[in-house]
Amino acid sequence: MSVKFERDTFQQTAQNVMNNAAQNAQIPGTSGKHPLAEKIGTALTGGAGNAGTKGYLAAYIKQLESNPLRTKMLTAGGLAGLQELLASWLAKDRNKHGHYFTSRVPKMAAYGALISAPLGHVLIWMLQKVFHNRTSLKAKILQIIVSNLVIAPIQNSIYLVAMALIAGARTFHQVRATVKVGFWKVMKVSWVVSPLSLAFAQQFLPNHLWVPFFNVIGFVIGTYVNTTTKKKRLAALRKKHFGDGRSSMGRPEDYPPPGMGGPMGGPMGGPNPPY
C-alpha cells in the first residue's frame, strides 16, 4: 500500500513538474495546446524573439497584398533558379568546369520571374474573377475543370517553349518538336496534381496566396522530374559516348559536345540534351 502510494505521489509530482515546465515554456502569442506545431510556426514567422509579433511570414503576406506582382516574380524566379540548381546537384549534372551552377540556373530564374509569375498572376486573377463569390460545391468543381482544361494547357505550352529555348532550340521545328513530345506528359502530371492543390487552396488559402502556393507545389514536382530527366539524359550521353561495354561513370567534360546529345528530355525539367 505504501509503495503504491509513493509511486502514485511520484507520478503526480512528475506530471505537475512537466505541466509547469510546459506552461513556463509556452511561446508568447500561442495557446500552448500544440507545442510542436507552434514551435515550427514560430520558426517560420521570425523566431522566438518575434513570437506574438509580425514575423517573416506576415511580412511576406503584407508584400503580397501591397506589391503582388513584384512579390510573385521574386518568389517564382528564386524557386525556378533553386529548382535547377538542386536538380543538377541531385543528378550530378555538372558543366565542363565541374560546377553545378550552370548557365541554365539564371535562365530558369529569369523564366520564373519574367514569364511564369506574370502569366500565373494574370490567369489566376481571371479564374478568381470569374468565380468570385461563388462558393458552392458545383462552382468549386467547375473552377477546377476550367483550371485544368483552359489555364493548365496555356501555362504548360509556354513552359515547354521556354524550356526548349533555354536548352538551345533555335528553329521553329525544334521548339514545336519539344512541345509535341512533352505536352501530354506535362498535362497528365497537371491533371493529377492540379485538382488536389486547387481544392486545398479553395478550402484553406486566401486568394493572394494561391500563386505562391502553386509555385511551391510546382517547385517540389519540378525538382523531382527535372532530376529524373537529367539522370536519364546523362545515362544516354554516357552510353552514346562510352558504349555498352564501358563504365557508366565519367567526368562531365568527357561527354559528347553539343550536337551529339541523346534523346530529348521529358517534361517539367526541360529537354536537357543540347540541340
Side-chain angles (χ1 to χ4, degrees), residues 202-253:
Q202 288 174 338
Q203 187 67 26
F204 299 107
L205 298 179
N207 288 348
H208 58 269
L209 287 181
W210 279 31
V211 171
F213 170 71
F214 294 143
N215 284 337
V216 173
I217 296 295
F219 170 78
V220 175
I221 298 174
T223 300
Y224 169 76
V225 179
N226 197 359
T227 302
T228 304
T229 300
K230 288 177 179 295
K231 288 181 178 180
K232 291 180 179 179
R233 167 186 173 262
L234 291 176
L237 290 176
R238 288 166 182 154
K239 183 177 180 180
K240 184 179 182 66
H241 186 61
F242 294 117
D244 295 334
R246 294 289 299 275
S247 169
S248 62
M249 300 300 293
R251 300 193 308 273
E253 57 266 30

Side-chain angles (χ1 to χ4, degrees), residues 51-70:
T53 64
K54 292 184 177 181
Y56 302 138
L57 184 59
Y60 179 77
I61 294 175
K62 182 179 179 181
Q63 286 298 313
L64 270 176
E65 294 173 342
S66 58
N67 301 289
L69 181 56
R70 183 183 68 184

Side-chain angles (χ1 to χ4, degrees), residues 138-221:
K138 180 180 179 180
K140 290 182 177 180
I141 294 175
L142 185 59
Q143 187 179 36
I144 293 175
I145 294 175
V146 172
S147 174
N148 280 273
L149 296 183
V150 178
I151 292 180
I154 295 174
Q155 289 180 310
N156 290 336
S157 297
I158 294 177
Y159 172 84
L160 290 170
V161 170
M163 293 306 98
L165 295 175
I166 290 174
R170 292 296 178 266
T171 67
F172 174 78
H173 174 73
Q174 291 170 341
V175 174
R176 181 175 176 274
T178 300
V179 176
K180 184 177 181 180
V181 169
F183 180 76
W184 288 112
K185 295 179 181 179
V186 177
M187 287 304 303
K188 289 177 183 178
V189 175
S190 296
W191 286 337
V192 172
V193 177
S194 179
L196 298 177
S197 57
L198 184 55
F200 180 89
Q202 288 174 338
Q203 187 67 26
F204 299 107
L205 298 179
N207 288 348
H208 58 269
L209 287 181
W210 279 31
V211 171
F213 170 71
F214 294 143
N215 284 337
V216 173
I217 296 295
F219 170 78
V220 175
I221 298 174

Side-chain angles (χ1 to χ4, degrees), residues 26-91:
Q26 179 178 328
I27 300 173
T30 62
S31 64
K33 295 181 180 180
H34 308 285
L36 179 59
E38 289 164 358
K39 287 181 180 178
I40 295 175
T42 300
L44 290 174
T45 53
N50 291 327
T53 64
K54 292 184 177 181
Y56 302 138
L57 184 59
Y60 179 77
I61 294 175
K62 182 179 179 181
Q63 286 298 313
L64 270 176
E65 294 173 342
S66 58
N67 301 289
L69 181 56
R70 183 183 68 184
T71 306
K72 291 171 185 177
M73 289 174 67
L74 293 174
T75 301
L79 288 176
L82 179 60
Q83 173 191 312
E84 176 63 25
L85 181 62
L86 182 59
S88 296
W89 177 72
L90 291 174

